[in-house]
Amino acid sequence: MRKIQGTGVSAGVAIGTIHVLDSGDGSVERRVVDDSAAEVQRFRAARDTAIDQLGKLRDKTAAELGEGKAELFDAHRLMLKDPDYVESVEGMITTSKVNAEYAVNGTAEQFAAMFAAMDDSYMQARAADVRDVSKRVIKILEGCDTATQDPDGQHIIAAVDLTPSETVQLDRSKVLGFVTANGSANSHTAILARTMGLPAVIGLGKDFDAEDDGKTAIVDGSAGLVLVDPDEENLKSYQDKKKSYEDHLRLLQELKGKPTQTKEGQTVRLYANIGRPSDVTSALANDAEGIGLYRSEFLYLESEDFPTEEAQFEAYKEVAQRMGDRLVVIRTLDIGADKQVGYFNLKHEDNPALGYRAIRICLTQPEIFKVQLRALLRASAFGNLAIMLPMITSVQEVRDAKKIIDEVKADLRAKNIAFNDGVNVGIMVETPASVVMAPELAKEVDFFSIGTNDLTQYTLACDRQNPNLSRFADPHSPAVLRMIKMAVDAAHEAGIWCGICGELGADLSLTETFLDFGLDELSVSPTSVLPLREAIRER
């Protein structure tokens, strides 16, 4: 028996035979070409074919997993249409006189490296997406069938990496789970695994062995553990664990509709974090009581130009209407630092996390801010929306933002455009300055929501992009927890509510601490809602 430790990205236990997908070694031959123009045409034809294939995959995904999951293939198609991507490939072909396959692969690696270097885990995961779409184009150029090999019978799929499009092409009736040598916990592949309910472990690294094809394995998606050729004792143990996990899932479903309340009667509102309107489906399926963080910046990150007021209005309106009376907290654009968008033309900064980002852009470029606020306020007429301002460090910033909000309200009012005049305005508490100034800030706003990821970074002075600092960037640090307690106390002293919308909210080892702090709301990923409700109800 061989035990391999990886990263669990989708809970559950799978027991079965390994089927190793032939993903190739990833090498692409470099050839010098005489006719660059013809090579560019080859690339363009392959790209068009890939876009067509992705359209068909989109329809298949929409039919099997819903419209929300199908949207990732829209994003993939946009990647292939991205002018920077196309220009890079064609420029490499023309300038270096190389074959199209080599230029596509080179561009994919450049873009993937750029995404991987970003601090935001969501953007890091886009590295896998750009490799996925590029791999499809390369296979078309090489004349290969891009369909995933489909084994007979039920198997545990193993691969060096498994792209989102390969994942969605898997026949769910034949797949027990999957493991990969590479991968990211926030990749679309991992997200799809969770949506499909498949136990999955990624990041096996050098312990991944293609020679394991045909061997029996156990995949423990919760522990991130893979056992190859398990002995009888482990087989029996994991069969019992598999049954217990499936029983637990059924029990969690019974928590739907029940209050998020401790045995002593303390109630906490349990909301979901989303990035797109389609994520509401998952939030509702997991019985979230509201949306505690709608990351509106994804509208900007996924656009080729500034999203129009109408496009934003439709997105916010959709979320508001689908959530009905439930609160939807929309964070105004949090562009900058690790979230770079070309059309903003932001200059290079040596310390972008301390630089021109979020509310600082909105206050210095109010023409951009006002477009978003108009869309937000118009959408407020269709549900229970609240506006949340990120990266606040001073009372003056809040006052300046509220002044702009009032100007937009006045304009809407003058034009008889409906909106909720009493829409709540809150702030992200994610800097030491906002914690220290919390008593004064609480008098200016309707709520606090603590962003624990940035609060940890700024409190501990640990650059999240620096892997050498990971041992020092402990979000459980007493300094961070004391900051959270200070913010909660200041909010309550002023009579407003305080929640957490950062990763720490889903950390079950801190649930009791947060309850003791008196937090009013916890906002987590949709799939973390029911496990967190269970933990709170057992307290």
Side-chain angles (χ1 to χ4, degrees):
M1 183 179 73
R2 192 168 95 255
K3 286 187 179 182
I4 311 172
Q5 186 64 56
T7 302
V9 295
S10 182
V13 173
I15 302 173
T17 306
I18 296 174
H19 175 78
V20 178
L21 294 180
D22 178 14
S23 300
D25 61 5
S27 63
V28 175
E29 182 186 6
R30 183 182 192 278
R31 298 194 312 273
V32 176
V33 297
D34 296 326
D35 190 347
S36 297
E39 205 63 14
V40 167
Q41 288 305 317
R42 276 189 70 226
F43 161 67
R44 290 178 180 175
R47 187 184 71 118
D48 290 346
T49 301
I51 290 172
D52 182 59
Q53 290 179 350
L54 288 167
K56 291 173 181 172
L57 264 182
R58 184 207 182 286
D59 294 341
K60 178 179 185 291
T61 306
E64 295 180 359
L65 298 176
E67 282 291 331
K69 299 305 172 191
E71 286 181 1
L72 86 91
F73 294 105
D74 290 332
H76 281 194
R77 296 174 80 188
L78 280 176
M79 280 185 181
L80 288 178
K81 295 176 182 177
D82 182 83
D84 291 337
Y85 178 89
V86 173
E87 187 177 317
S88 175
V89 173
E90 296 186 359
M92 200 177 296
I93 292 172
T94 306
T95 306
S96 302
K97 302 287 184 187
V98 295
N99 53 313
E101 294 91 331
Y102 187 82
V104 171
N105 189 60
T107 294
E109 290 308 312
Q110 285 179 12
F111 277 61
M114 179 184 71
F115 284 128
M118 294 181 177
D119 187 35
D120 184 272
S121 57
Y122 178 88
M123 295 310 296
Q124 289 172 351
R126 302 291 71 76
D129 291 335
V130 75
R131 287 194 176 104
D132 185 357
V133 295
S134 300
K135 185 176 174 183
R136 177 173 295 278
V137 175
I138 291 169
K139 285 189 173 182
I140 293 168
L141 285 164
E142 292 174 338
C144 299
D145 182 1
T146 56
T148 299
Q149 305 100 309
D150 198 9
D152 294 328
Q154 288 191 308
H155 289 79
I156 292 168
I157 297 297
V160 174
D161 208 347
L162 202 54
T163 66
S165 59
E166 287 172 333
T167 307
V168 81
Q169 287 181 85
L170 296 173
D171 185 339
R172 297 171 68 184
S173 67
K174 296 180 177 180
V175 180
L176 300 169
F178 68 76
V179 299
T180 62
N182 304 321
S184 159
N186 290 294
S187 67
H188 274 127
T189 301
I191 293 168
L192 283 170
R194 289 190 284 271
T195 303
M196 295 163 78
L198 294 173
V201 176
I202 64 170
L204 301 184
K206 59 182 176 53
D207 291 321
F208 173 84
D209 188 350
E211 298 300 316
D212 286 334
D213 187 79
K215 294 181 180 177
T216 299
I218 296 170
V219 177
D220 184 344
S222 302
L225 190 65
V226 179
L227 283 69
V228 181
D229 280 337
D231 55 29
E232 285 300 319
E233 182 181 352
N234 273 287
L235 265 178
K236 175 67 172 61
S237 172
Y238 273 95
Q239 283 166 349
D240 293 343
K241 185 173 182 177
K242 183 171 183 290
K243 183 177 182 307
S244 295
Y245 177 77
E246 290 166 353
D247 289 344
H248 185 222
L249 284 184
R250 280 189 286 276
L251 286 174
L252 283 179
Q253 294 301 306
E254 293 177 5
L255 293 178
K256 289 184 178 179
K258 293 188 176 179
T260 309
Q261 189 176 63
T262 67
K263 291 177 180 174
E264 294 183 351
Q266 182 181 359
T267 299
V268 179
R269 298 192 299 277
L270 197 46
Y271 292 173
N273 297 337
I274 65 170
R276 301 176 182 78
S278 59
D279 294 338
V280 171
T281 300
S282 181
L284 291 172
N286 287 283
D287 204 29
E289 298 161 41
I291 302 298
L293 172 62
Y294 176 5
R295 300 180 175 95
S296 70
E297 58 270 19
F298 286 124
L299 281 166
Y300 297 81
L301 290 166
E302 296 173 351
S303 298
E304 296 178 6
D305 202 346
F306 290 101
T308 64
E309 177 187 324
E310 204 59 27
Q312 294 190 62
F313 166 67
E314 290 297 334
Y316 306 147
K317 175 185 169 187
E318 180 183 343
V319 175
Q321 287 183 319
R322 292 188 66 190
M323 292 304 294
D325 294 334
R326 306 181 194 199
L327 181 63
V328 175
V329 178
I330 300 182
R331 178 170 71 189
T332 56
L333 71 88
D334 190 12
I335 294 296
D338 54 301
K339 298 168 189 167
Q340 294 291 328
V341 181
Y343 57 81
F344 270 74
N345 293 317
L346 302 179
K347 294 180 180 177
H348 170 76
E349 295 176 310
D350 290 336
N351 296 297
L354 305 178
Y356 187 55
R357 56 171 294 199
I359 196 68
R360 298 169 183 180
I361 294 177
C362 292
L363 295 181
T364 52
Q365 299 190 64
E367 66 280 7
I368 296 175
F369 195 27
K370 285 184 176 180
V371 172
Q372 179 172 42
L373 290 174
R374 281 179 60 87
L376 268 168
L377 288 167
R378 286 173 58 200
S380 71
F382 295 88
N384 186 13
L385 295 191
I387 297 172
M388 183 159 69
L389 309 171
M391 195 64 183
I392 291 295
T393 61
S394 73
V395 169
Q396 191 59 48
E397 288 170 351
V398 175
R399 289 177 178 168
D400 289 346
K402 286 168 65 178
K403 182 181 177 184
I404 295 173
I405 293 172
D406 286 342
E407 289 173 4
V408 175
K409 282 184 176 179
D411 182 54
L412 292 174
R413 207 176 286 119
K415 295 174 180 172
N416 289 321
I417 297 175
F419 68 97
N420 175 14
D421 203 9
V423 65
N424 281 349
V425 176
I427 63 166
M428 293 278 291
V429 175
E430 52 189 340
T431 65
S434 61
V435 174
V436 172
M437 295 303 297
E440 287 78 10
L441 288 166
K443 296 173 185 173
E444 301 285 336
V445 296
D446 300 299
F447 63 90
F448 285 168
S449 188
I450 302 172
T452 53
N453 303 337
D454 272 338
L455 184 60
T456 300
Q457 172 178 241
Y458 296 130
T459 299
L460 302 181
C462 280
D463 181 354
R464 290 162 55 192
Q465 295 192 61
N466 189 337
N468 296 326
L469 298 178
S470 58
R471 61 175 292 198
F472 302 104
D474 178 15
H476 290 204
S477 159
V480 175
L481 295 179
R482 193 172 297 181
M483 286 276 184
I484 294 172
K485 181 69 164 59
M486 290 169 65
V488 176
D489 290 346
H492 290 172
E493 182 69 24
I496 65 172
W497 64 268
C498 182
I500 284 181
C501 60
E503 294 295 322
L504 226 51
D507 187 336
L508 298 182
S509 70
L510 287 174
T511 301
E512 189 163 344
T513 300
F514 293 152
L515 289 168
D516 289 340
F517 283 179
L519 277 152
D520 305 286
E521 175 250 19
L522 294 171
S523 192
V524 297
S525 66
T527 53
S528 295
V529 168
L530 291 177
L532 187 51
R533 179 173 295 163
E534 179 185 46
I536 292 170
R537 287 174 63 86
E538 288 178 351
R539 198 237 185 185

